Amino acid sequence: MGAATELTGAATELTGAATELMGVATELMGAATELVGAATELVGAATELTGAATELTGAATELMGTATELMGAYKYLHLVIKYRKITVINQKL
């Protein structure tokens, strides 16, 4: 009977240890779930930043196009002014 009692006690201790390990495992899984949630939020934020960067790139491209058009208009006006000056000088001669 003594051996059976010792075995029962050992089994009870093992069951307690297994229960503690299950508790630790549950806590670790909870922490892992929180980390996955945080990672998901970071990915979402990175996606939003990428979208914003894409929009800014598009706006910059539009501004470059506008600047190019303005430069073309400036060059055209410059040529018109030169032509008119030449015409006025030729008329005076």
Side-chain angles (χ1 to χ4, degrees):
M1 227 24 202
T5 302
E6 285 183 33
L7 283 175
T8 301
T12 302
E13 285 182 32
L14 285 174
T15 301
T19 302
E20 286 182 35
L21 285 174
M22 292 274 291
V24 171
T26 300
E27 287 180 30
L28 287 173
M29 286 188 62
T33 300
E34 288 181 28
L35 286 173
V36 168
T40 302
E41 288 181 29
L42 286 173
V43 168
T47 301
E48 288 181 29
L49 285 173
T50 301
T54 300
E55 288 181 28
L56 285 172
T57 301
T61 301
E62 287 181 31
L63 284 172
M64 287 295 289
T66 302
T68 301
E69 289 177 22
L70 287 172
M71 286 297 291
Y74 171 80
K75 286 180 181 180
Y76 174 76
L77 286 173
H78 188 68
L79 288 174
V80 167
I81 291 168
K82 273 189 173 181
Y83 174 75
R84 287 190 178 167
K85 284 181 182 177
I86 292 170
T87 302
V88 168
I89 290 170
N90 284 338
Q91 288 175 355
K92 288 183 181 179
L93 294 176

